[in-house]
């Protein structure tokens, strides 16, 4: 017997394949994470992330304009300060690098894209942890929350449309939401890094932000063995008022993206992180894989898993390819 159902019929031509594609990938789905370094005279390449730089304030403005022209959904800014201290005070200074850059970018592109900011202390602390430490050297959850609230207000007042708390402190969304509301910023949105795993794939990011971290983040980021716990984290953040939730990293956690998508009634983002970027770039540089196809395949896979929004260092380049289709 020959088969009656022949799925190959719908794969015969590019037009048929396009007609029946279940998952779409458009520039608006993509968010570009960007680094800006205090005092930089010119953009500084990040060795472990070929093609990604630590921007100067000036080159950042230009790169954001390019991102807007490519039609990406948004940008996510990370600051790289020159000075670090135990409390990460640079994060609250209106003239600190991240807040200054947010002001630059907002005045450059206004509301034409969505300006997001990483809300975390690790770039600003001299110990490199995402919060302040108590007398035992442990990350002090509740004292960190007070700083996060102030940071959120500073970032929104500098120009962020959306703040992205990424420190995995318990109660961070509620604390930031309350601080924003108290300061009259009811309109500012929170994209919660709700589900964030302690991952080896953050490696290149540590270079990208000149991280001071010794040790690891396993007392606050999740264990990669746990999927059910991700639903608890997401539910808590939704109850605390998260406007969007994120799963991070993406590639090794596609099942988690799917289950968060299925339980949440808000947009779900996924972050294709520095190590995911570096792996493909390194393999492609060796001629081992077709870079552009691999990039699109991973982005499509993350969308297929259920992400409405994908943060990726390839956002602008991929948007360029998608615009030509
Ligand atoms: C914390 C933060 C990290 C990343 C984004 N926000 C690092 C970490 O938690 O260790 C990683 C992003 C990437 O690897 O691309 N501020």
């Amino acid at each position: 017997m020959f088969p009656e159902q022949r799925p190959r019929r719908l794969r015969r031509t590019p037009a048929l394949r396009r007609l029946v594609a279940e998952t779409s990938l458009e520039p608006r789905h993509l968010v570009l994470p960007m680094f800006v370094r205090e005092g930089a005279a010119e953009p500084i390449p990040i060795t472990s992330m070929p093609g990604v730089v630590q921007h100067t304030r000036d080159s950042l403005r230009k790169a954001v304009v390019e991102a807007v022209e490519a039609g990406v959904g948004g940008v996510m800014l990370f600051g790289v300060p020159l000075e670090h201290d135990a409390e990460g005070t640079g994060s609250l200074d209106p003239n600190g690098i991240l807040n200054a850059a947010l002001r630059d970018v907002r005045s450059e592109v206004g509301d034409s894209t969505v300006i997001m900011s990483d809300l975390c202390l690790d770039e600003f602390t001299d110990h490199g942890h995402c919060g302040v430490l108590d007398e035992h050297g442990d990350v002090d959850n509740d004292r960190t929350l007070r700083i996060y609230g102030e940071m959120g207000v500073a970032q929104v007042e500098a120009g962020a449309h959306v703040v992205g708390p990424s420190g995995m402190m318990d109660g961070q969304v509620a604390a930031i939401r309350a601080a924003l509301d108290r300061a009259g910023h009811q309109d500012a949105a929170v994209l919660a890094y709700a589900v964030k795993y302690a991952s080896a794939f953050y490696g290149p990011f540590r270079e990208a932000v000149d991280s001071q971290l010794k040790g690891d983040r396993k007392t606050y980021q999740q264990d990669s063995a746990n999927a059910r716990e991700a639903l608890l984290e997401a539910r808590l953040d939704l109850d605390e008022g998260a406007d969007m939730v994120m799963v991070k990293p993406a590639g090794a956690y596609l099942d988690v993206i799917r289950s968060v998508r299925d339980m949440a009634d808000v947009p779900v983002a996924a972050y294709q992180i520095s190590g995911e970027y570096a792996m493909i770039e390194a393999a492609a540089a060796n001629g081992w894989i077709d870079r552009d196809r691999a990039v699109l395949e991973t982005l499509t896979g993350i969308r297929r898993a259920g992400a409405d929004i994908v943060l990726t260092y390839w956002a602008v380049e991929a948007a360029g390819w998608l615009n030509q289709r």
Side-chain angles (χ1 to χ4, degrees):
M1 266 299 278
F2 292 108
E4 301 276 306
Q5 268 293 11
R6 290 180 180 266
R8 288 186 56 190
R9 282 182 194 128
L10 299 184
R11 297 182 195 137
R12 276 178 54 230
T13 68
L16 275 164
R17 293 195 292 272
R18 182 181 61 194
L19 176 70
V20 301
E22 296 173 35
T23 305
S24 67
L25 181 64
E26 298 171 36
R28 72 178 182 94
H29 298 133
L30 306 176
V31 170
L32 179 68
M34 308 176 83
F35 304 102
V36 56
R37 185 190 175 97
E38 182 176 11
E42 51 195 283
I44 302 169
I46 301 164
T47 319
S48 52
M49 301 176 72
V52 181
V53 299
Q54 294 178 332
H55 281 289
T56 69
R57 282 177 63 179
D58 213 45
S59 72
L60 178 76
R61 293 171 89 116
K62 294 190 186 112
V64 173
V65 170
E66 277 173 36
V68 170
E69 285 165 358
V72 302
V75 295
M76 168 71 81
L77 303 193
F78 293 87
V80 185
L82 285 177
E83 308 277 321
H84 304 83
D85 60 30
E87 305 279 310
T89 46
S91 64
L92 303 180
D93 180 353
N95 298 315
I97 183 61
L98 180 53
N99 296 328
L102 284 165
R103 241 182 351 263
D104 292 343
V105 166
R106 184 65 181 269
S107 78
E108 187 75 38
V109 301
D111 294 335
S112 62
T113 193
V114 179
I115 302 166
M116 311 184 189
S117 56
D118 187 61
L119 199 171
C120 193
L121 280 175
D122 65 323
E123 290 98 3
F124 297 95
T125 51
D126 54 12
H127 43 73
H129 276 293
C130 293
V132 293
L133 305 182
D134 65 18
E135 64 275 22
H136 310 292
D138 295 327
V139 175
D140 185 334
N141 194 89
D142 296 5
R143 209 155 60 79
T144 299
L145 293 185
R146 285 200 287 280
I147 302 177
Y148 281 2
E150 284 181 58
M151 243 182 121
V153 172
Q155 292 180 349
V156 166
E157 291 181 352
H161 296 103
V162 176
V163 296
S166 65
M168 290 298 280
M169 295 302 121
D170 293 332
Q172 62 186 12
V173 173
I176 292 163
R177 182 73 268 159
L180 290 174
D181 290 352
R182 259 195 319 274
H185 300 303
Q186 283 82 1
D187 292 342
V190 177
L191 164 57
Y193 290 58
V195 179
K196 183 170 177 185
Y197 288 93
S199 172
F201 293 102
Y202 300 134
F205 178 88
R206 303 278 154 85
E207 180 193 347
V209 299
D210 296 354
S211 172
Q212 314 289 309
L213 184 71
K214 298 174 195 69
D216 60 51
R217 306 197 196 287
K218 289 182 180 166
T219 68
Y220 42 103
Q221 296 180 345
Q222 288 175 248
D223 183 336
S224 63
N226 295 354
R228 193 178 53 219
E229 186 189 29
L231 300 180
L232 168 63
E233 286 282 3
R235 186 163 347 101
L236 288 170
D237 282 8
L238 291 171
D239 289 348
E240 291 175 28
D243 301 287
M244 300 182 267
V245 290
M246 175 138 68
V247 174
K248 178 180 179 184
Y253 300 92
L254 295 173
D255 59 324
V256 177
I257 296 173
R258 167 51 53 199
S259 47
V260 171
R261 174 62 287 160
D262 288 346
M263 62 76 76
D265 48 10
V266 301
V268 173
Y271 198 143
Q272 182 180 54
I273 63 167
S274 56
E276 300 179 71
Y277 177 90
M279 276 195 297
I280 289 180
E281 290 290 342
N286 276 296
W288 295 338
I289 56 173
D290 177 333
R291 174 181 180 277
D292 301 3
R293 284 185 55 205
V295 169
L296 285 176
E297 187 174 333
T298 56
L299 294 174
T300 302
I302 296 164
R303 288 268 305 144
R304 192 192 63 241
D308 302 292
I309 299 163
V310 186
L311 283 83
T312 174
Y313 298 97
W314 288 301
V316 169
E317 190 179 3
W321 304 332
L322 297 169
N323 286 328
Q324 280 166 23
R325 277 187 178 171

